[in-house]
Amino acid sequence: MKTLLAKATAILALTAGVIASSQAGTLTYQGVTFTSTWSGNLLTLEIDAAKRSGDWLDATSIGALQLKDLGSFSDVTLVAAPGAATEWTLSSNELNANGCSGGAHAGRSLCFSGERVLLSDDMVFQFSFSGGAPALDAPHLKVNFFGDGERKVGSLLSQAIAPVPEPQTYAMMLGGLGLMGFMAARRRKQP
């Protein structure tokens, strides 16, 4: 019994270590970290640009961001944003190098743009969704970033953010691993 308990504890500790080191809901691109969290109908996107590098090293502001592949929804509201971004306007168009002026993706994508805001180490955007079935299985993020004046810096960021697992997912996984360990130990003891 002690051996079984020791093995189960080791499996749970190993699993907890893997979970703690995972980057679910996080994308790091050229030293800038984008973290997405989903709770109820509220999506929070945090941008941490304290350690930027590459093309982002010369970036001083962002002028637009788009999230797409979000399931379906009938309405989205920008609830919170840094500085002048609280006044950004919503479009269902694709974000390209000229802002939210690409093809339309109504009800599946959001593109907010307006007066540029300074790039900093803790920028938080919150979006509230209503209607439909919004989902964050594989959200895709696009961001326009700028240097001094009107100078665009580097290329338009366009990357997928890792899915955001819910706490119940972790609990189910740990429970399943524990049960598998218990079943394997019982099989070994049977003649």
Side-chain angles (χ1 to χ4, degrees), residues 95-178:
L95 178 60
N96 59 28
N98 298 316
C100 299
S101 59
H105 300 281
R108 296 180 294 130
S109 169
L110 61 89
C111 187
F112 278 95
S113 63
E115 184 179 332
R116 291 193 303 271
V117 293
L118 291 177
L119 189 59
S120 65
D121 64 345
D122 191 23
M123 303 175 76
V124 177
F125 294 85
Q126 288 186 319
F127 308 93
S128 176
F129 293 84
S130 62
L136 281 184
D137 295 340
H140 193 93
L141 172 69
K142 288 180 142 185
V143 180
N144 266 355
F145 51 103
F146 298 85
D148 295 328
E150 296 294 317
R151 185 174 59 90
K152 294 176 185 164
V153 178
S155 60
L156 177 72
L157 167 71
S158 181
Q159 300 282 322
I161 298 177
V164 181
E166 296 183 11
Q168 299 92 325
T169 305
Y170 292 133
M172 285 176 44
M173 184 175 75
L174 288 173
L177 286 172

Side-chain angles (χ1 to χ4, degrees), residues 42-61:
L42 190 67
L43 168 65
T44 301
L45 175 67
E46 182 177 350
I47 302 173
D48 182 355
K51 298 177 182 174
R52 58 187 179 263
S53 62
D55 293 336
W56 283 78
L57 196 54
D58 293 331
T60 58
S61 63

